[in-house]
Amino acid sequence: MHLLIDVGNTSAKAYYFSDVEQFTSVAPEDIELTGVSSILIASVADNHLVSTVLEKANHAGISIQKLKVDKKAFGIECAYENYKTLGIDRW
């Protein structure tokens, strides 16, 4: 099972999902890491609850991938010259 975390400026959302594309919403304060093999995080802000979850995941050896803006992705090229300063919500 995987965990997707989306941290915006005003709220955070999280979903468990499996390889069969079944998504289950979970409140950030209710995240459990039992059975989680990897975490994908899209973040434009800091969130204390999410930071705590990521610390626990790191200690448990769970793979964590922070999504970022790249110059090219999925056959599309970002038009912003300084794309590295964009938040993931702008891509």
Side-chain angles (χ1 to χ4, degrees), residues 15-77:
Y15 300 88
Y16 294 115
F17 67 100
S18 65
D19 294 328
V20 293
E21 298 181 20
Q22 184 177 18
F23 290 81
T24 305
S25 178
V26 59
E29 61 270 15
D30 296 331
I31 292 174
E32 293 288 334
L33 296 176
T34 305
V36 172
S37 59
S38 68
I39 298 174
L40 298 172
I41 181 164
S43 178
V44 297
D46 292 328
N47 181 290
H48 177 70
L49 288 172
V50 172
S51 295
T52 301
V53 168
L54 294 178
E55 285 177 26
K56 290 179 182 178
N58 193 37
H59 283 50
I62 297 171
S63 170
I64 300 169
Q65 181 180 359
K66 184 169 183 177
L67 303 174
K68 61 182 177 49
V69 176
D70 290 320
K71 180 67 176 167
K72 293 181 181 181
F74 310 105
I76 301 169
E77 186 170 331

